[in-house]
Amino acid sequence: MPAFGQFEPLEISFRMETPICLTYPFIFFDALIAHLRNRYVDPEGYRALPSKKVVKKASEIDIPIKKMVLPSGDFIYHASVSIFDFNEGYITTIYKRFCEKHLNYEKIKRKKIDRGRGFFRDYMIKLVYVPAKTVTFYVNGDVEQIEKLLEGLPALGKKTAIGFGVIKDFKIKEIKDDRSIIWNGKAMRPIPMEAVSEASEIVLMAYKPPYWAKENHKPCVPPFAECDLWKESGGNTS
Amino acid sequence: MERKWWKYFLKWSETEEFKEKLKTSKEIIKQALEEFNKPYVAFSGGKDSTALLHLVMQFDRSITVIHWDYGRYFIPRQVHKEILKIARLCGAENVVVLTSRLYDKFKENAKGILGKCFIGIEIPKLVKQGYDCCFLALRSEESVKRRERTKNYREFDGVGIWNVFPIRDWTWRDVWAYIVSNKIKYLKLYDKYAKLLGYDKARFVTLFDKEFSWLGNENVDKFLFWKLKNI
């Protein structure tokens, strides 16, 4: 079991160098930390994990963020979704083409690569990007561990290999009140309905990492919708 | 719709160019209605078919309107309800919704079912029921393939139905001009698309469709309509 220090409410802000490419309107901070922690714990094995199946070992890894236990025994992390200083999206198009430069036709025993269909087909993909200058997250966690993990993060969002979402620097500030789950009567992250007494909206969405997994979907209060918690858990420090 | 766009389309509807195209479309519809015994309108819920449906309903409200339902994974139920409401508001009295069980079977991985089930099974059934003409809202501006396909304003489908393309020459401006000038209700999601893509590129057939993921439409849908995604 990793020994995490004391959990404190934090405000983490990233200054961005390039626009952030997204296929979903939010970046989940707990998912980001879970990704970094998995990469830290098992750098080689992490890359070999299947992308469409939840691996228990990887999904249950401890991350330095406080948990809020739900009435069902399940939990959510004290970590907000991304808050961009600029909220409008724009469209760009990228072209994914098969590169024949280093191809040995004799070895693959083919005269021609069909780029119109099949495995090697070309793609013209529309992507949404948000040209935000700063991205802020609220979290309740171990400042030292989080800082250590974030140091190995070069970029945020999708398509970072072609220059999207490059981080200039980041700042971690300790704050007095915990804004990671609810702030000013608004949900700061997806909160399952079992934890709330009132909600202005309900959406079927994931509430804990991995966010792509179907088993992690429940009716939730979506981020930035008005809601009230039944009672706030003290959280555990595991 | 933003006021500036609304004003722009309204102004466009006053141009001679638009009026001329509208006149031609009405003539094509009138001629087809005289010529064929039992026509129907194919209605997807998109802007083009909404404009066409409204146009056809000016002549005869009892014409059958056929809507192909792509299932809850590609057309969230609230969007489906809105589509049927639009059809009724356009004046359609006889709306027939056709679908396939395969959409529920294959869920979000369903592919090519329109071709297999609608074109392969339902159209021959429609021919048996006596339908001989289909009003389709294909426009030449959309693609080279459509320009070629619609060049004679009609085509025989080989089964027994003549497809008629009354708005073949319309541009995106003409479609929106017709919608705005006639105060027709259109799908709300167009305004969201338009904010990101512009009214010229805002197109709707299905949502979250992997069949079109190579164009990146899935990325845009997930970003804009994340609340509608059916798991």
Side-chain angles (χ1 to χ4, degrees):
Chain A
M1 285 279 277
F4 295 133
Q6 206 184 342
F7 291 153
E8 290 158 293
L10 307 166
E11 182 192 272
I12 301 168
S13 45
F14 293 89
R15 280 204 303 157
M16 305 306 297
E17 224 163 73
T18 54
I20 307 139
C21 180
L22 299 167
T23 52
Y24 202 70
F26 316 110
I27 299 170
F28 301 95
F29 193 74
D30 45 357
L32 192 71
I33 291 295
H35 161 77
L36 293 169
R37 179 96 185 128
N38 267 301
R39 215 172 62 174
Y40 177 78
V41 171
D42 185 9
E44 281 175 27
Y46 181 55
R47 293 284 168 206
L49 287 174
S51 58
K52 287 180 181 172
K53 203 174 123 189
V54 180
V55 176
K56 219 178 170 194
K57 194 180 86 186
S59 68
E60 286 179 356
I61 196 157
D62 282 307
I63 61 171
I65 298 176
K66 191 177 167 181
K67 286 173 181 172
M68 177 180 142
V69 182
L70 303 173
S72 64
D74 210 348
F75 65 88
I76 53 171
Y77 286 108
H78 278 255
S80 77
V81 295
S82 52
I83 301 162
F84 301 110
D85 64 342
F86 185 85
N87 251 331
E88 256 175 62
Y90 292 88
I91 282 274
T92 184
T93 309
I94 64 157
Y95 301 90
K96 240 172 142 174
R97 294 193 180 101
F98 178 69
C99 176
E100 295 177 43
K101 204 176 159 187
H102 305 292
L103 194 69
N104 186 346
Y105 280 100
E106 279 175 20
K107 202 176 172 185
I108 60 163
K109 291 172 188 169
R110 273 194 205 183
K111 282 185 183 171
K112 199 179 163 188
I113 295 289
D114 191 351
R115 287 165 50 186
R117 62 189 69 79
F119 190 75
F120 299 104
R121 75 162 297 159
D122 291 342
Y123 280 78
M124 187 182 82
I125 305 170
K126 280 192 210 106
L127 288 172
V128 183
Y129 67 90
V130 178
K133 290 267 165 61
T134 59
V135 185
T136 310
F137 295 95
Y138 293 103
V139 60
N140 194 332
D142 179 344
V143 63
E144 270 179 35
Q145 291 281 335
I146 290 175
E147 195 172 4
K148 197 173 147 192
L149 289 171
L150 289 180
E151 270 164 11
L153 181 73
L156 287 176
K158 301 262 173 194
K159 299 290 165 199
T160 55
I162 55 168
F164 279 105
V166 176
I167 299 166
K168 199 183 266 178
D169 54 29
F170 70 90
K171 208 167 69 184
I172 302 181
K173 203 170 93 183
E174 285 175 23
I175 51 172
K176 278 183 186 170
D177 49 336
D178 189 349
R179 302 170 184 173
S180 59
I181 292 183
I182 284 194
W183 186 32
N184 290 339
K186 285 185 179 171
M188 299 298 281
R189 53 159 297 120
I191 309 170
M193 284 309 290
E194 57 181 295
V196 297
S197 58
E198 263 179 69
S200 61
E201 222 178 323
I202 306 169
V203 175
L204 185 64
M205 64 189 298
Y207 62 97
K208 66 177 183 184
Y211 282 88
W212 49 263
K214 283 183 183 179
E215 48 265 53
N216 289 345
H217 283 69
K218 266 185 185 176
C220 290
V221 183
F224 311 119
E226 285 175 17
C227 73
D228 248 342
L229 284 183
W230 275 118
K231 57 172 183 173
E232 200 161 348
S233 149
N236 75 52
T237 53
S238 61
Chain B
M1 187 180 284
E2 278 178 50
R3 194 160 173 77
K4 65 171 183 183
W5 281 107
W6 183 80
K7 270 183 168 178
Y8 173 74
F9 293 132
L10 207 59
K11 268 268 176 258
W12 187 262
S13 70
E14 290 163 12
T15 59
E16 280 308 311
E17 190 185 330
F18 172 75
K19 284 176 187 168
E20 198 59 44
K21 283 179 190 171
L22 187 60
K23 202 178 148 193
T24 313
S25 300
K26 283 181 178 173
E27 275 166 21
I28 293 168
I29 294 169
K30 203 178 161 191
Q31 199 185 340
L33 290 176
E34 283 168 1
E35 204 175 314
F36 298 103
N37 297 324
K38 205 175 174 188
Y40 72 87
V41 187
F43 176 66
S44 70
K47 64 178 195 308
D48 299 342
S49 60
T50 303
L52 176 69
L53 177 66
H54 188 270
L55 207 54
V56 176
M57 288 299 124
Q58 307 306 306
F59 291 89
D60 187 356
R61 290 189 163 212
S62 64
I63 292 176
T64 310
V65 177
I66 290 182
H67 171 67
W68 179 255
D69 179 14
Y70 288 87
R72 65 196 176 105
Y73 291 93
F74 298 129
I75 304 284
R77 292 302 85 180
Q78 57 234 72
V79 178
H80 181 66
K81 267 186 194 170
E82 204 185 336
I83 290 171
L84 297 183
K85 193 179 165 190
I86 288 167
R88 280 196 301 274
L89 289 172
C90 284
E93 288 170 358
N94 186 14
V95 182
V96 178
V97 181
L98 300 172
T99 188
S100 167
R101 281 183 193 170
L102 295 178
Y103 286 118
D104 275 338
K105 190 181 171 191
F106 294 110
K107 297 178 179 174
E108 66 267 33
N109 296 317
K111 252 184 178 182
I113 291 173
L114 178 81
K116 272 180 221 154
C117 298
F118 183 65
I119 299 168
I121 301 168
E122 297 296 342
I123 289 192
K125 275 188 198 169
L126 292 171
V127 174
K128 274 186 187 171
Q129 287 167 29
Y131 288 99
D132 53 359
C133 164
C134 168
F135 289 107
L136 268 175
L138 298 189
R139 294 185 294 115
S140 62
E141 189 193 42
E142 291 174 299
S143 66
V144 176
K145 210 173 171 184
R146 289 197 173 180
R147 191 171 69 211
E148 281 304 303
R149 190 180 160 190
T150 60
K151 63 185 174 191
N152 297 325
Y153 295 94
R154 60 171 66 180
E155 65 162 17
F156 186 64
D157 72 347
V159 183
I161 286 181
W162 279 90
N163 292 321
V164 180
F165 314 109
I167 62 165
R168 190 245 175 208
D169 297 328
W170 290 26
T171 62
W172 62 276
R173 286 184 195 87
D174 300 318
V175 175
W176 285 114
Y178 184 79
I179 288 172
V180 167
S181 61
N182 287 287
K183 293 177 186 160
I184 303 168
K185 206 168 160 50
Y186 59 92
L187 276 179
K188 276 184 227 156
L189 50 84
Y190 270 106
D191 289 334
K192 275 198 171 183
Y193 269 133
K195 239 182 174 181
L196 208 61
L197 303 161
Y199 279 96
D200 55 336
K201 292 191 181 79
R203 290 176 81 174
F204 164 76
V205 185
T206 47
L207 292 174
F208 318 112
D209 202 337
K210 282 183 183 161
E211 209 163 336
F212 304 107
S213 64
W214 57 282
L215 289 169
N217 291 355
E218 210 189 346
N219 295 340
V220 179
D221 292 345
K222 275 189 209 163
F223 183 85
L224 289 177
F225 309 111
W226 58 277
K227 286 183 189 175
L228 300 176
K229 181 102 174 82
N230 205 331
I231 310 301

